[in-house]
Each structure stands twice: as C-alpha cells, then as structure tokens.
Amino acid sequence: MAQTQILHVDPYQPDPDTIAVAAAAIAGGQLVAFPTETVYGLGANAFDPAAVERIFTAKQRPWTDPLIVHLATVSHLDRVVQDMPAALIGLAERFWPGPLTLVLCRGRSVAPNVSAGRNTVAVRVPAHPVAHALLVACDLPIAAPSANLFSRPSPTTAQHVLDDLDGRVEVILDGGTATIGLESTVVDLTQTPPVLLRPGGVPAELLLDLLPDLRVPADPMVGAEGEATASPGMLLKHYAPHAAVVLLRGNALSARALALTILNLLHNAGRRVGLLVPDEEFSLYVGLHAEVVGMGPSTDLLAVARYLFARLRELDSLGVDVILAREVAAGGLGTAIRDRLFRAAEGKILDADAPVDLGNWLTPLLK
Ligand code: AMP
Ligand code: MG
C-alpha cells in the first residue's frame, strides 16, 4: 500500500514545482489523481503496462473496462493513435480541449491493457489547467479513468478521491471541485456511422452539427445494455452509492403522493430514506421521515451536473438505506444526468403516473 500525498494547487495557476512532483510520479510508474473539468482522474503513464495495471488494481476495476488516454494537445495524437478519420479534425478543433472522448485506432506504443486488449483507444484533451499542466510537465499520455472505486459515484473533489483510494494512490493533486461534474461524452469514430457510446459533458445535440450521421441511441441509458460490447464500461450498475437508489418518474404531485406512501412503509420497517429532488420541489418534502437533499434547480442543469455525485455521496454519509431520486428530463446535459441516475438506480424506475405494484418494488428494498 502506498502512502498517499495530497498536494494543493491553484486550479487556475497551478504551481510548477508542485506539478513537477506529480509529473515525476507519473514518469516513475506511480499513480496520480488529478482534477479535470469532468471528474477527478486516476492517472498513470499510458505507455507503461505495469503502471496501467496498478490503476485497475487500485480501483478494483474489471480488466475488461478500457481507460481514456489524456493528451496535452491535439498535436500529440500521433503518439497514441494509428489513423485520423476525416471527422476527427473538425471535432478536435471545436471541442478540444474539453469533455469529448473519441475512440480511435490504437497506436502501437499504448499499453494494451489501457484498451482492455482492444485495437481501439479512447482519447481526450482535457481543458482543466491542472490536468493540462501535468500532461505538459510529464510529456507523456496519461491513462486515467475516474478516481473512484469501481461502480461508486465518480469523484468531483480531492476528498472523494481520498475517501475511496487512500493508500491506493501515491499523489492526489487537490485543485478544488471539478467544474462539469459528469464524465466526458464518448463517441466511437472507428464505427461507420460513428456511435455515441456515453452521453456526457458535450451534449449530443452539439455533435450532430459536425457528425450528422452520428448514431445516438434513442434513450442511451436503455440502449446501453445492448451496446455492451462496443462500450464495455457502460454497465447497468455504475455511479452507485451504498444505499439502494430508485428513480421516481412522473409529475411533481403524483410523485410526492407515491413517495409519501413508500416513505411510510419503509419508515415503519425501520429503514432510513433519502430524497434527492429538484430545488423547486424541495418544499413538497419538508417535515417527512426522510433526509431531503436538493439537486439544484431543474432549470440549471450545469448546477445539477456539478454536484450530482457529491449529493449521492452526501446521502450515503447521512446513513440512508434507500434513496428516492426524481428523474431528470432528457435533452442537453439532462441526458447525461439522467443516464448517471439511471445507472446509480441499476435501472429501477417507479412511474407515479402509472399503476404500480408496490409490494413487488418494496420486497427487495426491505431485505
Ligand atoms: P471512465 O474513465 O471511468 O469514465 O471510463 C471510461 C469509459 O470510456 C469506459 O468505461 C468506456 O465506456 C469508454 N471507453 C474507453 N476506451 C474505450 C474503447 N477503446 N472502446 C469503447 N469504449 C471505451
Ligand atoms: Mg468511471
């Protein structure tokens, strides 16, 4: 087990000496957690298979789930990929640096375990000044998945990283809260037509301008299971807190009525319940047997996205057994938020506007 060193850096103007310590750790085959604009990443030298293997071990991530390679600049692409499809240039110009990951043909120098043995590699140029400074200082591509334990909510602060990976990572660069709070959008350019593998920080609507033939699953969260071979990381259970999550669909008042019934049943059975609701619905749930956490106003999806994972972790730390979370409408960033909540809930949705067999639903929650 490693001794974890936490180094504080200014998120906008990181101190070069501090960055040099982290860069030396990467070059020496160690693991460094660092902030990006999406979530915190757990980084290792993408050319070093032994260092990459340590990422999987630290996270307890299955070997079949490939990692994203981060580059300082688009001009380093030829270090990690074999060919550049025509669409790549326009996408890179418009969205890099930024929260878009492109799946391309893997270059020979990239450690095969980065790609879980596939001949493709996922690549991104992050916009966060700390991530950028680290990449420039070590002059290596950095393979980095989210810096959490596998299947847990992604980390958006250094404390989240420490909570999951203390003693499993040599260095944590603490650069404050990740700005977007959700992972990157993943697009596979090795398939024709290209396919959206994961909704994320760049809304699919924006990609369609440059990729008019992009295949966007009608509701990616449902399509994802069928896409399992194309996108091995899109598992049904992901981003999950310890508490069981159930999504509540339907209009505000019917959702409240259903939530009340469930709350009473669970409370009587000795279960502690958390509610994750848009701020505008918060007052509907005051004074009940539940820990109520606001997810932000549903008109401000940037705020909902930024704090979503932190709020799931907060509900866990409040000791609840079950979280009822209001579903978020699709569209723009909402599609990615909806996808993360769907996976946190392992697909469990209760529709308050449709007949519900509560007995069926509650039995597993009472186990
Ligand atoms: P994370 O870094 O934890 O956000 O996970 C990265 C995700 O990117 C994986 O879970 C996959 O869904 C996707 N990904 C990475 N590499 C590939 C690849 N070569 N082919 C398809 N999907 C990939
Ligand atoms: Mg992850």
Side-chain angles (χ1 to χ4, degrees):
M1 285 283 112
Q3 171 81 23
T4 299
Q5 189 184 7
I6 301 169
L7 303 174
H8 294 270
V9 280
D10 184 298
Y12 303 105
Q13 288 177 310
D15 169 47
D17 293 339
T18 311
I19 293 295
V21 173
I26 293 281
Q30 298 187 332
L31 302 184
V32 174
F34 59 98
T36 80
E37 72 278 27
T38 59
V39 301
Y40 271 69
L42 180 64
N45 175 2
F47 291 151
D48 178 348
V52 170
E53 187 174 327
R54 298 189 54 225
I55 294 179
F56 287 91
T57 308
K59 276 183 63 93
Q60 298 167 350
R61 183 175 174 114
W63 308 106
T64 48
D65 193 356
L67 313 178
I68 294 171
V69 172
H70 296 72
L71 300 176
T73 118
V74 65
S75 64
H76 291 175
L77 257 182
D78 58 1
R79 300 180 182 187
V80 296
V81 309
Q82 291 209 17
D83 64 0
M84 316 241 183
L88 174 64
I89 308 301
L91 287 168
E93 267 178 13
R94 171 106 175 255
F95 296 107
W96 282 351
L100 176 67
T101 295
L102 298 174
V103 175
L104 300 160
C105 269
R106 177 162 60 88
R108 277 184 241 288
S109 316
V110 176
N113 51 356
V114 165
S115 304
R118 292 155 176 264
N119 55 15
T120 57
V121 63
V123 185
R124 172 168 112 78
V125 178
H128 197 291
V130 174
H132 180 72
L134 177 64
L135 286 158
V136 170
C138 68
D139 196 26
L140 288 165
I142 297 182
S146 50
N148 53 334
L149 284 173
F150 183 68
S151 88
R152 297 269 299 137
S154 297
T156 51
T157 66
Q159 185 62 48
H160 296 159
V161 179
L162 196 64
D163 290 344
D164 277 15
L165 299 178
D166 192 9
R168 295 169 169 269
V169 48
E170 277 85 6
V171 177
I172 301 176
L173 284 172
D174 181 352
T177 303
T179 36
I180 296 174
L182 296 179
E183 298 80 354
S184 57
T185 302
V186 181
V187 171
D188 187 347
L189 290 183
T190 66
Q191 299 190 53
T192 314
V195 185
L196 180 90
L197 297 181
R198 173 174 78 182
V202 173
E205 292 88 333
L206 294 183
L207 294 170
L208 287 169
D209 279 353
L210 289 170
L211 286 178
D213 58 343
L214 177 68
R215 200 155 68 77
V216 183
D219 205 338
M221 57 191 206
V222 179
E225 260 194 308
E227 304 283 341
T229 39
S231 190
M234 294 301 282
L235 302 173
L236 183 59
K237 180 179 178 184
H238 212 141
Y239 320 110
H242 294 302
V245 180
V246 179
L247 291 185
L248 266 184
R249 177 175 287 176
N251 86 64
L253 290 181
S254 30
R256 180 193 189 267
L258 181 60
L260 218 59
T261 309
I262 298 173
L263 273 178
N264 286 332
L265 290 167
L266 288 173
H267 177 73
N268 290 339
R271 295 297 187 281
R272 300 193 58 196
V273 183
L275 287 163
L276 183 64
V277 300
D279 287 4
E280 68 272 15
E281 291 182 18
F282 194 93
S283 59
L284 293 176
Y285 293 97
V286 176
L288 307 178
H289 294 299
E291 301 281 357
V292 191
V293 169
M295 61 168 84
S298 55
T299 47
D300 185 356
L301 292 178
L302 286 173
V304 176
R306 184 171 307 150
Y307 300 111
L308 180 70
F309 290 131
R311 283 172 175 142
L312 291 173
R313 284 175 180 260
E314 178 189 343
L315 281 159
D316 260 351
S317 66
L318 291 169
V320 303
D321 305 296
V322 177
I323 298 170
L324 301 177
R326 288 287 277 139
E327 201 180 33
V328 171
L333 211 45
T335 306
I337 297 168
R338 195 177 156 89
D339 170 84
R340 304 307 187 265
L341 279 173
F342 180 79
R343 288 175 214 286
E346 297 177 62
K348 295 190 287 297
I349 301 178
L350 270 173
D351 187 346
D353 294 324
V356 176
D357 179 356
L358 267 189
N360 252 351
W361 272 98
L362 290 179
T363 313
L365 300 179
L366 292 171
K367 272 190 194 138

